[in-house]
Amino acid sequence: MIKKHWKLLIITSIIILLPMLAGVFLWDRLPEQMATHWGGNGEADGWSGRGFAVFVLPLILLAVHWLCVWGTSLDSGNRDQNRKVTGLVLWICPVLSLFTNGIMYAAALNLDVNFVTVTLLLMGVMFVVIGNY
């Protein structure tokens, strides 16, 4: 899978890291402590330093992305996997990276966003897409 889809893997890896670039541009506007986790009621209940939120969290998602792709490629049953399923594996982490970092930046910039509704909508769409394959 990695050899067959290496261009798409590079593109999705870059997309995962795009929020780091946004964080660099927003650096002066972001607070020293940023909300990085929210409870089911939409209240922030986990905080991290600005550097960790901007740089380390996307790198963790990148590592998870590569681990998922590597694990999928090891399974001999996936060698002739449907292209749509392979694409799904390659695009889940980039979408999550853009979404989660977007939520963090929106909260840090005090933008009026209903985090619970947006999260539930994304989860619903993801379940529908995953369920179709």
Side-chain angles (χ1 to χ4, degrees):
M1 178 175 151
I2 293 174
K3 291 179 184 177
K4 189 175 181 181
H5 299 286
W6 69 271
K7 288 181 185 177
L8 186 56
L9 184 57
I10 297 298
I11 291 169
T12 55
S13 296
I14 290 170
I15 291 171
I16 289 172
L17 297 177
L18 281 178
M20 289 172 65
L21 185 62
V24 169
F25 286 123
L26 296 170
W27 189 263
D28 293 333
R29 296 177 56 200
L30 296 174
E32 286 294 322
Q33 289 291 314
M34 294 176 57
T36 53
H37 188 271
W38 288 265
N41 61 356
E43 296 289 324
D45 61 5
W47 303 84
S48 296
R50 177 174 48 189
F52 183 86
V54 170
F55 297 111
V56 177
L57 290 179
L59 289 173
I60 291 171
L61 267 171
L62 181 65
V64 168
H65 179 60
W66 277 82
L67 184 65
C68 290
V69 170
W70 178 70
T72 303
S73 69
L74 289 179
D75 185 5
S76 61
N78 284 329
R79 301 220 191 277
D80 298 320
Q81 185 66 267
N82 184 330
R83 287 185 49 199
K84 292 180 181 179
V85 175
T86 302
L88 186 64
V89 170
L90 288 169
W91 283 103
I92 286 176
C93 284
V95 168
L96 286 175
S97 177
L98 295 175
F99 173 76
T100 56
N101 286 286
I103 291 284
M104 281 189 328
Y105 294 155
L109 298 172
N110 295 320
L111 299 178
D112 188 27
V113 178
N114 187 337
F115 303 114
V116 174
T117 302
V118 174
T119 302
L120 291 175
L121 284 172
L122 177 70
M123 286 176 55
V125 168
M126 285 180 60
F127 281 129
V128 167
V129 171
I130 292 169
N132 280 322
Y133 297 109

Coordinates of all heavy atoms in Angstrom, one line a residue, residues 44-81:
A44 N -14.2 23.3 28.1 CA -12.8 22.8 28.1 C -12.4 22.2 29.4 O -12.6 22.8 30.5 CB -11.9 24.0 27.7
D45 N -11.7 21.1 29.4 CA -11.3 20.4 30.6 C -9.9 19.9 30.5 O -9.4 19.2 31.4 CB -12.3 19.3 31.0 CG -12.4 18.2 30.0 OD1 -11.6 18.2 29.0 OD2 -13.2 17.3 30.2
G46 N -9.2 20.3 29.5 CA -7.8 19.9 29.3 C -7.0 21.0 28.6 O -7.5 21.6 27.7
W47 N -5.8 21.4 29.2 CA -5.1 22.5 28.7 C -3.7 22.1 28.4 O -3.1 21.2 29.0 CB -5.1 23.6 29.7 CG -6.5 24.0 30.1 CD1 -7.3 23.5 31.0 CD2 -7.2 25.1 29.5 NE1 -8.5 24.1 31.0 CE2 -8.5 25.1 30.1 CE3 -7.0 26.1 28.5 CZ2 -9.5 26.0 29.8 CZ3 -8.0 27.0 28.2 CH2 -9.2 27.0 28.8
S48 N -3.1 22.7 27.4 CA -1.7 22.5 27.0 C -1.0 23.8 26.7 O -1.7 24.8 26.3 CB -1.5 21.6 25.8 OG -2.0 20.3 26.1
G49 N 0.3 23.9 26.7 CA 1.0 25.0 26.3 C 0.9 25.3 24.8 O 0.6 24.4 24.1
R50 N 1.1 26.5 24.4 CA 0.9 26.9 23.0 C 1.8 26.1 22.1 O 1.4 25.6 21.1 CB 1.2 28.4 22.9 CG 1.1 28.9 21.5 CD 1.3 30.4 21.5 NE 2.4 30.9 22.3 CZ 2.6 32.2 22.5 NH1 1.8 33.1 22.1 NH2 3.6 32.6 23.3
G51 N 3.1 25.9 22.5 CA 4.0 25.2 21.7 C 3.6 23.7 21.5 O 3.7 23.2 20.4
F52 N 3.1 23.1 22.5 CA 2.7 21.7 22.5 C 1.5 21.6 21.5 O 1.4 20.7 20.7 CB 2.3 21.2 23.8 CG 1.9 19.7 23.9 CD1 2.9 18.8 23.9 CD2 0.6 19.4 23.8 CE1 2.5 17.4 23.9 CE2 0.2 18.1 23.8 CZ 1.2 17.1 23.9
A53 N 0.5 22.5 21.7 CA -0.7 22.5 20.9 C -0.4 22.8 19.4 O -1.0 22.1 18.6 CB -1.7 23.5 21.5
V54 N 0.5 23.7 19.1 CA 0.7 24.0 17.7 C 1.6 23.0 17.0 O 1.4 22.7 15.9 CB 1.3 25.5 17.7 CG1 1.8 25.8 16.3 CG2 0.3 26.5 18.1
F55 N 2.6 22.5 17.7 CA 3.6 21.7 17.0 C 3.5 20.2 17.3 O 3.6 19.4 16.5 CB 5.0 22.2 17.4 CG 5.3 23.6 16.9 CD1 5.5 24.6 17.8 CD2 5.4 23.8 15.6 CE1 5.7 25.9 17.4 CE2 5.6 25.1 15.1 CZ 5.8 26.1 16.0
V56 N 3.3 19.8 18.6 CA 3.4 18.4 19.0 C 2.1 17.7 18.6 O 2.2 16.5 18.1 CB 3.7 18.3 20.5 CG1 3.7 16.8 20.9 CG2 5.0 18.9 20.8
L57 N 0.9 18.3 18.8 CA -0.3 17.5 18.5 C -0.4 17.2 17.0 O -0.7 16.0 16.7 CB -1.5 18.4 18.9 CG -1.7 18.4 20.4 CD1 -2.9 19.3 20.8 CD2 -1.8 17.1 21.1
P58 N -0.1 18.0 16.0 CA 0.0 17.6 14.7 C 1.0 16.5 14.4 O 0.7 15.6 13.6 CB 0.3 18.8 13.9 CG -0.2 20.0 14.7 CD 0.1 19.5 16.1
L59 N 2.1 16.6 15.1 CA 3.1 15.5 14.9 C 2.6 14.2 15.4 O 2.9 13.1 14.9 CB 4.4 15.9 15.6 CG 5.2 17.1 14.9 CD1 6.4 17.5 15.7 CD2 5.6 16.7 13.5
I60 N 1.9 14.2 16.5 CA 1.3 13.0 17.1 C 0.3 12.4 16.1 O 0.3 11.2 15.8 CB 0.6 13.2 18.4 CG1 1.7 13.5 19.5 CG2 -0.2 12.0 18.9 CD1 1.1 14.0 20.8
L61 N -0.5 13.2 15.5 CA -1.5 12.7 14.5 C -0.7 12.2 13.3 O -1.2 11.2 12.6 CB -2.4 13.9 14.1 CG -3.7 13.9 14.9 CD1 -4.5 15.1 14.5 CD2 -4.5 12.7 14.6
L62 N 0.4 12.8 12.9 CA 1.2 12.3 11.8 C 1.7 10.9 12.1 O 1.7 10.0 11.2 CB 2.3 13.3 11.4 CG 3.2 12.9 10.3 CD1 2.4 12.9 9.0 CD2 4.4 13.8 10.1
A63 N 2.2 10.7 13.3 CA 2.7 9.4 13.7 C 1.6 8.4 13.7 O 1.8 7.2 13.2 CB 3.3 9.5 15.1
V64 N 0.4 8.8 14.2 CA -0.8 7.8 14.1 C -1.1 7.5 12.7 O -1.4 6.3 12.3 CB -2.0 8.5 14.9 CG1 -3.3 7.7 14.6 CG2 -1.7 8.5 16.4
H65 N -1.1 8.5 11.8 CA -1.4 8.3 10.4 C -0.5 7.3 9.8 O -0.9 6.3 9.1 CB -1.3 9.7 9.7 CG -1.5 9.6 8.2 ND1 -2.7 9.2 7.7 CD2 -0.8 10.0 7.2 CE1 -2.7 9.3 6.4 NE2 -1.5 9.8 6.0
W66 N 0.8 7.5 10.0 CA 1.8 6.6 9.4 C 1.7 5.2 10.0 O 1.9 4.2 9.4 CB 3.2 7.1 9.6 CG 3.5 8.1 8.5 CD1 3.2 9.4 8.4 CD2 4.2 7.8 7.3 NE1 3.7 9.9 7.3 CE2 4.3 9.0 6.6 CE3 4.8 6.6 6.8 CZ2 4.9 9.1 5.3 CZ3 5.5 6.7 5.5 CH2 5.5 7.9 4.8
L67 N 1.4 5.1 11.3 CA 1.2 3.8 12.0 C 0.0 3.1 11.4 O 0.1 1.9 11.1 CB 1.0 4.0 13.5 CG 0.9 2.7 14.3 CD1 2.2 1.9 14.3 CD2 0.5 3.1 15.8
C68 N -1.1 3.8 11.1 CA -2.3 3.2 10.5 C -2.0 2.7 9.1 O -2.4 1.6 8.7 CB -3.5 4.1 10.5 SG -4.1 4.5 12.1
V69 N -1.3 3.5 8.3 CA -1.0 3.1 7.0 C 0.0 1.9 7.0 O -0.2 1.0 6.2 CB -0.4 4.3 6.2 CG1 0.2 3.9 4.9 CG2 -1.4 5.4 6.0
W70 N 1.0 2.0 7.8 CA 1.9 0.9 7.9 C 1.2 -0.4 8.4 O 1.5 -1.5 7.8 CB 3.1 1.3 8.9 CG 4.1 0.2 9.1 CD1 5.0 -0.3 8.2 CD2 4.2 -0.6 10.3 NE1 5.7 -1.3 8.8 CE2 5.3 -1.5 10.0 CE3 3.6 -0.6 11.5 CZ2 5.8 -2.4 11.0 CZ3 4.1 -1.5 12.5 CH2 5.1 -2.4 12.2
G71 N 0.4 -0.3 9.4 CA -0.3 -1.5 9.9 C -1.3 -2.1 8.8 O -1.4 -3.3 8.6
T72 N -1.9 -1.2 8.0 CA -2.8 -1.7 7.0 C -2.0 -2.3 5.9 O -2.4 -3.3 5.3 CB -3.6 -0.5 6.4 OG1 -4.3 0.1 7.5 CG2 -4.6 -0.9 5.4
S73 N -0.8 -1.8 5.6 CA 0.0 -2.4 4.5 C 0.6 -3.7 4.9 O 0.9 -4.5 4.0 CB 1.1 -1.4 4.1 OG 2.1 -1.3 5.1
L74 N 0.7 -4.0 6.2 CA 1.3 -5.3 6.6 C 0.3 -6.4 6.4 O 0.7 -7.6 6.2 CB 1.7 -5.2 8.1 CG 2.9 -4.4 8.4 CD1 3.2 -4.5 9.9 CD2 4.1 -4.9 7.6
D75 N -1.0 -6.1 6.4 CA -2.0 -7.2 6.3 C -2.1 -7.6 4.8 O -2.4 -6.9 3.9 CB -3.3 -6.6 6.7 CG -4.4 -7.7 6.7 OD1 -4.2 -8.8 6.5 OD2 -5.6 -7.3 7.0
S76 N -1.7 -8.9 4.6 CA -1.7 -9.4 3.2 C -3.1 -9.4 2.6 O -3.2 -9.3 1.4 CB -1.1 -10.8 3.2 OG -2.0 -11.7 4.0
G77 N -4.1 -9.4 3.4 CA -5.5 -9.3 2.8 C -5.8 -8.0 2.2 O -6.8 -7.8 1.5
N78 N -5.0 -6.9 2.5 CA -5.3 -5.6 2.0 C -4.6 -5.3 0.7 O -4.7 -4.2 0.2 CB -4.9 -4.5 3.1 CG -5.9 -4.5 4.2 OD1 -7.1 -4.7 4.0 ND2 -5.4 -4.2 5.4
R79 N -3.8 -6.2 0.2 CA -3.0 -6.0 -1.0 C -3.9 -5.6 -2.2 O -3.6 -4.8 -3.0 CB -2.1 -7.1 -1.3 CG -1.2 -7.5 -0.2 CD 0.2 -7.8 -0.7 NE 1.0 -8.4 0.4 CZ 1.6 -7.6 1.3 NH1 1.6 -6.3 1.2 NH2 2.4 -8.2 2.2
D80 N -5.1 -6.3 -2.3 CA -6.0 -6.0 -3.4 C -7.3 -5.3 -2.9 O -8.3 -5.5 -3.4 CB -6.4 -7.3 -4.1 CG -5.2 -8.0 -4.7 OD1 -4.3 -7.3 -5.2 OD2 -5.1 -9.2 -4.6
Q81 N -7.1 -4.5 -1.8 CA -8.2 -3.7 -1.2 C -8.8 -2.7 -2.2 O -8.1 -2.2 -3.0 CB -7.7 -3.0 0.0 CG -8.7 -2.3 0.8 CD -9.7 -3.3 1.5 OE1 -10.8 -3.6 0.9 NE2 -9.4 -3.8 2.6

